Amino acid sequence: MRAAARQRGPIRGALSLDSTGVAAAAPTPRNAGESLVPGWVDVLLLLGRRAWDRLFAPDPGRIRLRLALRTTTALALTFAVLHSLSLAARLPGSIIVLGVVESLFGSVSVRDPEARQQRATLLLTPLPAAAAFALGTALAPFKLWSDLVFLVIIFAAVYARRFGARATALGFLAFIPYYIGNYLHLPVTQLPYQMISLAIGTGCAYLVRFHIVPDRPEQVLVHALQDFDERIGRLLAEIDKAVVAGAWDRRRRRRLRHHIGRLNETALIAEDQLDQCDTGRFLSDPDKHRLRLRILDLELAADRLAYAAFRDLPPADLWQKMSARVETLGGCFRGSLPSPLRRCEPGAQTAFAAALQAAERAPQAPGMRFAHALAAMEVAANGSPEPDGNTAPPPQPEANPPARAAGGDGDSQDGTLRPTTRQAIQVTVACTLAILAGEFLSPHRWYWAVLTAFVVFSGTQSRGDTLIRAGQRVIGTVIGVAVGIAVAHAVSGTVGVSLLLIYICVFLAYYTFQVAYGTMMFWISIIVALLYQTIGVLSTSLLLLRVEETAIGAAIGVAVAVLLLPISTTAKTGAALREFLQRLSEAVERATRHMAGEEGALDVAGVSRDLDRAFQTLRTTAHPLASGLAGAVARTAIRRFLTVLRACSYYAHNLARLSGQESAGESPELARLLVKTAARIRRNSETLADLIEHKGAPIAAPADLLARVEEKVAARYDSDPRRRAAPDRQAGALYDADHIDEALQFLARDLASRARDRGGAAL
C-alpha cells in the first residue's frame, strides 16, 4: 500500500508532485541517560509550536493572514501615494483622509463569493462613498439636518444587508464617509481633491487585492490541507501524553475536543476552497470528488481514534506494542505533500470501511477499540480511495443553505419583520440615543458613541451576541487606551517609528477581528493614541473621553437590543438546532434509502459537509448562552449537549460513507429496518426541536448520556441476532443509525423532564 501511495497524485498543473516519503521514519526514543541538551531543544521546540499554534492554528489556510497583509499593504501604499502627491502638488494634507478610509474599508467589506463579483463591488464602492462624503461635508454646518440625514443613512446601510454581500459593502461605504465628511468640516472647495483621493484609494485597494496579495484558492487549499495534517499530528500527540500519564484529566480532554473542532473547521475550509478552484486547470471534477472523500475519510478516522482513546485508553503494555505504529502514523502527517493529496491502490476504500467498522464493533477488552481505530487510521493515512460508482460529484449548491437558520433574511419569528428590518430599526434608535448622549458628554466627540452603537450590532444575530460584542468593545478599548498612552509617550517625537507601529497594529487588528473582536479594539485603541500623538493632540483626558463615549454607546446598544424588538438568543439557537436536526435526519434518510435501493446517486461529501456547516452554525449561535456570568452555570450542560450532537453528526457521516460502498448479499429485511430507524430518527428530531424551540426546555444533557447510549446499542445487538449476523456494510450502518436513534431518544426524554420541571418557562 505504501508503495502505491508513492504514485503520482491526482493533482495536475501547479501541484503535479510525487508523494514520496509518505511514512517518515519513526524518531528514536531518548534514553534517560542522554544529554540534557536535546531536552532544552525539545523545550524550545515546544514553546515554538505553542506560539505557532496560538498565532496560526486558528487560521487554517492562512486566510486571516492574507486579509491582514492585504489591508496593511493597501493602507501603506495609499498613504505613500497620497502623501507624495500632497507634497509634490502642494495640496492640503486632508487629501489623505478619504483615500485611506477607502483603502482600509473598501477591500475588507467586499465579501462576494466570486472574484468577478468582488472586482465589480470594489469598483462600485467609490460611488456611495463620494455621494455620502459630499453630503456629509455640505450638511456639516447644519447640525440638525446633518444628524437627521445621518440617521437615514444608518437605517439604509443596515437595511441593505438583506440584499446580499454587495449591498452590505456599499451601505457600509456610505456610512463611514458620511461620518468622516461630517466630522472634518472641510470647505466644499476641497471636495474635488477628496474625489481624487477616493479614486487613488480605490485603485490602490484594487491593485493590492487582485494583483499584489490576491486570493489564490489553490494555495489556500494546500495550506489548509497542511494544517489538516498538523492537527491530526497534534491529536496523536495528545493521545500519547494521556497514555503516558495513564488517564485523561480535564485539561487533556479540553485539548482533545479543541483539536477535533479545529480539524473539522479546517476540513470545511478545504472544502470551500475546492469549490473555488478552477476545474481543469488545477483539479478535474473526478479529482475534486476523490479529494472530498479523502478528507472525509481522514476526518472520520481521526474522530474514531480520538473517541476510542477517550473511552478506551490502552494499557501501558499494549501501548508499548503499538507505539512504533503510532510514530510511523505520525510521520504520515509530516510529509512535504499533504496526506489528502496522496493516492493508494484500488481496494483501499473497502479496507478502510472494514477497519472503521471493526473499530466501532470492537469487543470491550482493554485497548481493543483503540487498536482497531488505529488500524482504520493507518489505512486512511496511506492513500486516497477511488470514487465509487454509487457516489456522485457534488450537485449544484442548494438554494437554502444552513446559515439561514441562524439569522438569514427570511421572515422573523412573529411573521411581521425581516431580521434586517428589525436590526435596522434597532441600530437607528440606538444611534439616535447615542447622538443625544454623546452630545451631552462632548459636543465635539459624540461620534465615538455613535460608532459604538452602530458597530455592536454588526455581525450579531441576537441580544446575547450584542451583549458580548459590546462588552468586548469596552474592555478592548479600556485596555488599549491604557497601553496606547504608554506607547505613544514612549515614541513621542519619532514620526517614522509611530507610523511603523501604526502599520503593525493595523495588521494585528485585522488579523484578529474575525475571531477576537475585543483584541481588535485593543489594537485600534493603540492606533488612535499613536495618531493623536503624531498630529500633536494627544492627552489623557481625550482618550478617557473616548472610553466614556464608547461605554455610553455600548450601554445604549445593549439596552436597545434587550428592550426594542428583542431577538432572543434561545430562540435563535432553537432555530439553528432545528436546522441541524433536519440536516441530520435528512442525511440518515438519504443514506438508508440509498442502501435500500430507493434513491439514485448520492453525494456523500456534500451531505456530510451540509451537516457540518449546520453544526458550526448551531455552535456559534449557542455561544452566548454559555458566555459571561449568565452562562457560568449552564456552560458544562450546554457543552455536553453539543458533544452529543457532534457524536450524532459523526455517526451520520459514517453512515453516509457506508452507503456509498458496494456490497452484495445484503438482507432486504435489514434494509427495511434501516429505513424504519431513519423514520424514527426524523420523528425524534422534530420532537427534540419542539421541546427547545417552543416548550422552553433548557439546552442541556446529562453527563453519562453517551455511555448510556453505548449500553443501549450493545443491548440491541445482544437481543437481535439479525444485527449480529448482518453483512459488514449493513452491520456498520445499523450500528451508526442505532447510536443516533438512542441519543435522540435520551435527549428528548431528558429535555421533556427538564421542561416539566421548569413549568415551560422560556430561557
Side-chain angles (χ1 to χ4, degrees), residues 627-643:
S627 300
L629 295 176
V633 177
R635 186 177 297 120
T636 300
I638 292 173
R639 186 174 65 240
R640 286 199 299 259
F641 181 85
L642 294 176
T643 299

Side-chain angles (χ1 to χ4, degrees), residues 45-59 62 65 227 230-231 234 511:
L45 289 175
L46 178 62
L47 293 176
R49 290 187 65 178
R50 286 183 177 177
W52 177 268
D53 192 47
R54 288 183 179 275
L55 287 174
F56 296 112
D59 183 26
R62 312 296 182 267
L65 179 64
D227 292 336
E230 174 72 12
R231 190 56 60 185
R234 298 290 180 86
Y511 183 75

Side-chain angles (χ1 to χ4, degrees), residues 582-600:
Q582 181 179 351
R583 294 282 175 177
L584 177 69
S585 56
E586 285 177 356
V588 174
E589 285 181 339
R590 292 182 63 183
T592 53
R593 287 176 181 173
H594 182 74
M595 294 182 71
E598 299 178 12
E599 187 169 315

Side-chain angles (χ1 to χ4, degrees), residues 75-92:
L75 175 65
L77 180 61
T78 303
F79 180 83
V81 171
L82 290 175
H83 184 63
S84 301
L85 179 63
S86 66
L87 293 178
R90 299 182 182 276
L91 298 176

